[in-house]
Amino acid sequence: MININLSPRQKEIIKLVKQEQPITSEKLAAKVGVTRAALRPDLAILTMIGILDAKPKVGYVCSEKSSVSLVHDYIKKIKVNEIMTKAVTIDEQSTIYDAIVTLFLNDVGTLWIENNGNLVGAVSRKDFLKVAMGGTDLNKVPVGIIMTRMPNVVCVDMDDLAYDAAQKIIDHEVDSLPVVERNYENDEEKIKVVGKCSKTNITKLLVRLGQNL
Amino acid sequence: MININLSPRQKEIIKLVKQEQPITSEKLAAKVGVTRAALRPDLAILTMIGILDAKPKVGYVCSEKSSVSLVHDYIKKIKVNEIMTKAVTIDEQSTIYDAIVTLFLNDVGTLWIENNGNLVGAVSRKDFLKVAMGGTDLNKVPVGIIMTRMPNVVCVDMDDLAYDAAQKIIDHEVDSLPVVERNYENDEEKIKVVGKCSKTNITKLLVRLGQNL
């Protein structure tokens, strides 16, 4: 929260408006025991910082707004490329077993699956656990069989907002998003994975925001 | 909560002060293209809310308490009990197989393991995947065998800061923390799980902070 040192008179004005809204500046001045002119700077400040609203021909009311826009504005400026980290990819022909080993060796929660360097799918720890529980021969079946296939993998671009990435993670109930670059070759879209943005990256962002930079 | 919607001119002033600090109100007025008198209310507000500092005979400078530290102050007020969600627990005598089924049915990433209603350990999706890859008979081995055992499970209290929970998640490289209540019975500490605080909860918090509430 923003620490604004309101004067005792400003606090009194807020209290009076809360009790009697809407209230005109004449009535407020009478209650505070000063002239309207003396009250004008206080009322100007209280409306400008959004605590009071001045309604023409009605009077002053307490503002409906209650968010800290500065926090909101600040968070809405951070881009995915400021928080993304290295993505781990594997070819779709690799066996599920090799994919799981790659997952553990890199200590990540999601593998991005490629074909000729293009993103074709994703497999999460959850997908691997499901298949490891069944009777599948992990050494024979290629990872491409069990992946979530494009275009069903939710992606972000480097220039997208970190906030929008967080929103996508929550909305689509995934742990991680691939950060991609899209190019066209012979009218065909090529999607290259250049990073990832996971719940871990978002959690680190919140820790960063909470630190005194 | 206080809502501060800075006007375009106020934002311009902040930008100019950042570039040229210290800067006098005369120079600021010239750059903005208005009179000093016209700028006075904006400067009064920006100094009052702590974005600018007015140094006598020097000019205006950006306050140490910048918008980043306002974000910092705000984040440091949110408590774990505002963001925690329901924890899924299972008895340590349950088989690993039953634990994995519980994990999937509740669609969570971590199970908290109890004995007589007390927290004794934790098992994550990663732990389950590791054991499912090996030759273990999942239907015979109790989940207590593979769990991370107390006191090695990192916990938080309801009254802890969400920020500190996020920091613990990152420092200890875990996906989720149990929110616990500690009581003493016959000189013995009893730890009850009352919720969880995961990377998902932190990501949702960031989304909430980015929204205009």
Side-chain angles (χ1 to χ4, degrees):
Chain A
M1 184 137 50
I2 296 160
N3 185 19
I4 297 181
N5 288 321
L6 296 174
S7 69
R9 187 196 277 173
Q10 287 163 352
K11 285 180 186 165
E12 191 189 347
I13 293 170
I14 295 169
K15 208 176 123 196
L16 286 168
V17 174
K18 270 186 190 158
Q19 285 166 1
E20 323 225 350
Q21 59 183 328
I23 180 168
T24 62
S25 58
E26 285 92 339
K27 281 188 191 161
L28 262 176
K31 285 195 181 276
V32 178
V34 298
T35 64
R36 263 182 81 188
L39 218 55
R40 203 167 292 138
D42 290 321
L43 287 171
I45 283 171
L46 291 174
T47 49
M48 277 186 87
I49 62 178
I51 292 177
L52 299 185
D53 272 343
K55 297 200 173 178
K57 304 199 178 175
V58 177
Y60 287 88
V61 294
C62 285
S63 173
E64 297 287 308
K65 299 168 208 155
S66 64
S67 79
V68 178
S69 301
L70 281 176
V71 173
H72 163 259
D73 288 352
Y74 187 74
I75 287 175
K76 288 279 181 92
K77 286 209 175 93
I78 299 158
K79 291 196 171 173
V80 163
N81 65 20
E82 296 175 54
I83 65 164
M84 72 184 199
T85 46
K86 205 174 140 277
V88 179
T89 58
I90 192 167
D91 192 272
E92 68 172 327
Q93 297 301 330
S94 309
T95 65
I96 295 173
Y97 185 86
D98 285 346
I100 297 178
V101 170
T102 304
L103 191 86
F104 274 106
L105 290 182
N106 289 280
D107 198 18
V108 289
T110 307
L111 290 184
W112 312 109
I113 314 298
E114 290 182 331
N115 179 333
N116 270 326
N118 285 309
L119 177 66
V120 291
V123 185
S124 71
R125 217 178 260 152
K126 192 165 147 186
D127 300 324
F128 284 126
L129 180 55
K130 213 178 282 173
V131 75
M133 293 283 291
T136 313
D137 185 342
L138 305 181
N139 281 299
K140 288 217 176 124
V141 181
V143 70
I145 299 282
I146 61 158
M147 72 186 181
T148 300
R149 193 169 289 275
M150 287 294 283
N152 297 321
V153 177
V154 186
C155 306
V156 282
D157 295 338
M158 278 205 281
D159 289 334
D160 286 345
L161 297 177
Y163 167 80
D164 291 332
Q167 182 83 65
K168 278 185 177 180
I169 286 171
I170 297 303
D171 288 350
H172 297 275
E173 296 184 358
V174 292
D175 285 330
S176 188
L177 304 172
V179 183
V180 299
E181 268 175 16
R182 290 160 197 269
N183 290 299
Y184 284 85
E185 273 176 34
N186 309 326
D187 273 358
E188 214 178 313
E189 192 180 31
K190 302 283 177 187
I191 302 179
K192 206 182 140 200
V193 179
V194 293
K196 67 159 176 192
C197 180
S198 67
K199 284 177 188 168
T200 307
N201 299 114
I202 301 290
T203 303
K204 282 182 182 165
L205 171 60
L206 190 107
V207 170
R208 200 184 89 194
L209 292 176
Q211 282 164 345
N212 255 324
L213 297 179
Chain B
M1 269 192 267
I2 295 167
N3 178 55
I4 300 186
N5 281 320
L6 295 177
S7 68
R9 187 196 277 173
Q10 287 163 351
K11 286 180 185 164
E12 191 188 349
I13 293 170
I14 296 170
K15 207 176 125 198
L16 286 168
V17 173
K18 271 187 191 156
Q19 286 167 358
E20 323 225 349
Q21 59 184 328
I23 179 168
T24 62
S25 58
E26 285 92 338
K27 279 190 193 159
L28 262 177
K31 285 195 181 276
V32 177
V34 298
T35 64
R36 264 183 81 190
L39 220 54
R40 205 168 290 138
D42 289 321
L43 288 171
I45 282 171
L46 292 174
T47 49
M48 199 188 75
I49 62 178
I51 291 178
L52 300 185
D53 272 343
K55 299 200 171 177
K57 305 200 178 173
V58 177
Y60 288 89
V61 294
C62 283
S63 169
E64 297 288 308
K65 201 174 170 66
S66 64
S67 61
V68 178
S69 75
L70 296 175
V71 173
H72 159 262
D73 288 352
Y74 184 73
I75 287 174
K76 287 279 183 89
K77 289 220 168 83
I78 299 159
K79 292 196 170 171
V80 163
N81 65 19
E82 296 174 56
I83 64 164
M84 73 184 198
T85 46
K86 207 173 139 277
V88 179
T89 58
I90 192 167
D91 192 88
E92 68 172 328
Q93 298 300 330
S94 309
T95 64
I96 295 174
Y97 184 87
D98 286 346
I100 297 179
V101 170
T102 304
L103 191 86
F104 274 107
L105 290 181
N106 289 279
D107 197 19
V108 290
T110 308
L111 290 185
W112 312 109
I113 315 298
E114 291 182 331
N115 179 334
N116 270 326
N118 286 309
L119 177 67
V120 291
V123 185
S124 70
R125 216 179 261 154
K126 193 165 146 185
D127 300 323
F128 284 126
L129 179 56
K130 213 178 281 174
V131 74
M133 292 285 291
T136 312
D137 186 342
L138 306 181
N139 280 298
K140 289 215 173 125
V141 181
V143 70
I145 300 282
I146 61 158
M147 72 186 182
T148 301
R149 193 169 290 275
M150 288 293 282
N152 298 320
V153 177
V154 186
C155 305
V156 282
D157 294 339
M158 277 205 283
D159 289 333
D160 286 346
L161 297 178
Y163 167 80
D164 291 331
Q167 182 84 65
K168 279 185 176 179
I169 286 172
I170 297 302
D171 289 350
H172 298 275
E173 297 186 356
V174 292
D175 285 329
S176 189
L177 305 171
V179 183
V180 299
E181 267 175 17
R182 289 159 198 271
N183 290 298
Y184 284 85
E185 274 176 34
N186 308 324
D187 273 356
E188 215 179 311
E189 190 180 31
K190 302 283 178 187
I191 303 180
K192 206 182 140 198
V193 179
V194 293
K196 66 158 177 195
C197 180
S198 67
K199 284 177 189 168
T200 308
N201 299 114
I202 301 290
T203 303
K204 281 182 183 165
L205 170 60
L206 190 107
V207 170
R208 201 184 88 192
L209 292 176
Q211 282 164 345
N212 252 324
L213 295 179

